[in-house]
Amino acid sequence: MLNLVLFGPPGAGKGTQAEFLINTFNLIHISTGELLRSEIAAGTELGKIANQFMAKGELVSDDVVIEMIKGKINDNPEAKGFIFDGFPRTVDQAVALDRLLNEKGTPVSAMLCLEVEKEELINRLLGRGKISGRADDQSQKIIENRIEVYRNKTEPIIEYYSKQNKHHDIKGMGTIEEIAERLIKKVESLYNKQM
Ligand code: ADP
């Protein structure tokens, strides 16, 4: 199986690029942000609690997202592999993911980290907010908080995967197609090495 962690700050383009990767490599896309937004849209208890954190740009608790991931993995026993987008976001989540996947005998293959400058991130998110109406993309203050949370709580995961020799940086600036090509080439080269 090919299990990819698509990593990077808010606005790095994880969701956009995940689309290219799922089509190219026939993988299942798991985005915790999307799963949480559908809980909010459905008006569930979980969604109500999650929304309080998301609206401020804070993280939802590890337990909640880990349960969601577990459910999604178990719902797809025939999967050829998964792309995790927006997960893990804390070292504890990374540890939990390793545990879940190791139980299935199919570990994380690689972590691909999209690198984008802060100014570009803010511009992209404000632009997306105008189109999508996403509450957490509306104000520069909330966006800056999300980037801060990323630096403090999420970035330490890079070291976690580096120690496992699974971390790869990908330049996340340029056109969507250019970035997709870089990612696909990287995955292919890793795949060939595995064979
Ligand atoms: P972005 O990458 O643009 O920040 P996401 O859709 O991935 O957007 O996430 C939106 C929000 O959902 C996050 O700011 C956070 O509040 C919550 N969230 C998503 N994934 C996780 C996670 N793995 N752990 C905790 N909170 C999460």
Side-chain angles (χ1 to χ4, degrees):
M1 272 172 88
L2 182 64
N3 296 316
L4 302 173
V5 171
L6 197 51
F7 193 82
K14 300 182 292 290
T16 306
Q17 295 301 333
E19 290 304 315
F20 286 92
L21 292 170
I22 54 173
N23 293 330
T24 309
F25 299 104
N26 202 4
L27 306 171
I28 303 275
H29 182 199
I30 305 185
S31 155
T32 40
E34 272 176 26
L35 291 173
L36 290 166
R37 279 188 290 280
S38 56
E39 295 283 341
I40 294 174
T44 65
E45 244 355 89
L46 192 160
K48 282 180 196 149
I49 296 166
N51 193 29
Q52 293 170 4
F53 294 93
M54 292 167 77
K56 288 186 279 188
E58 299 291 333
L59 296 183
V60 175
S61 82
D62 286 342
D63 296 351
V64 167
V65 288
I66 291 165
E67 269 313 301
M68 285 193 327
I69 290 278
K70 205 169 162 180
K72 262 300 222 190
I73 293 175
N74 290 333
D75 284 347
N76 290 283
E78 306 293 328
K80 289 211 164 75
F82 295 97
I83 292 193
F84 299 95
D85 159 4
F87 180 92
R89 250 179 164 93
T90 63
V91 172
D92 283 348
Q93 291 179 19
V95 172
L97 180 63
D98 272 352
R99 204 171 294 143
L100 277 174
L101 291 176
N102 284 334
E103 274 170 23
K104 307 226 165 261
T106 165
V108 169
S109 314
M111 180 251 223
L112 305 165
C113 179
L114 288 170
E115 293 186 306
V116 178
E117 289 155 19
K118 183 172 174 186
E119 219 186 275
E120 170 80 6
L121 296 175
I122 294 172
N123 286 337
R124 286 186 191 176
L125 291 172
L126 286 172
R128 182 171 75 183
K130 284 192 194 126
I131 301 165
S132 72
R134 249 179 75 169
D136 57 347
D137 286 343
Q138 299 296 321
S139 97
Q140 180 142 351
K141 210 168 132 233
I142 296 171
I143 290 174
E144 296 213 8
N145 189 41
R146 283 156 65 200
I147 297 174
E148 201 49 33
V149 168
Y150 171 80
R151 300 277 176 242
N152 294 331
K153 297 193 174 157
T154 307
E155 229 168 30
I157 298 177
I158 293 178
E159 200 192 326
Y160 180 82
Y161 286 110
S162 292
K163 282 189 184 147
Q164 300 186 16
N165 287 321
K166 289 179 180 173
H167 161 247
H168 305 274
D169 280 325
I170 307 286
K171 201 172 126 221
M173 308 279 285
T175 67
I176 289 175
E177 290 74 19
E178 279 164 357
I179 301 162
E181 201 181 309
R182 279 179 215 137
L183 281 165
I184 290 168
K185 277 206 179 120
K186 174 56 82 181
V187 175
E188 280 172 348
S189 77
L190 295 170
Y191 219 30
N192 290 337
K193 244 190 259 167
Q194 241 181 42
M195 295 286 158

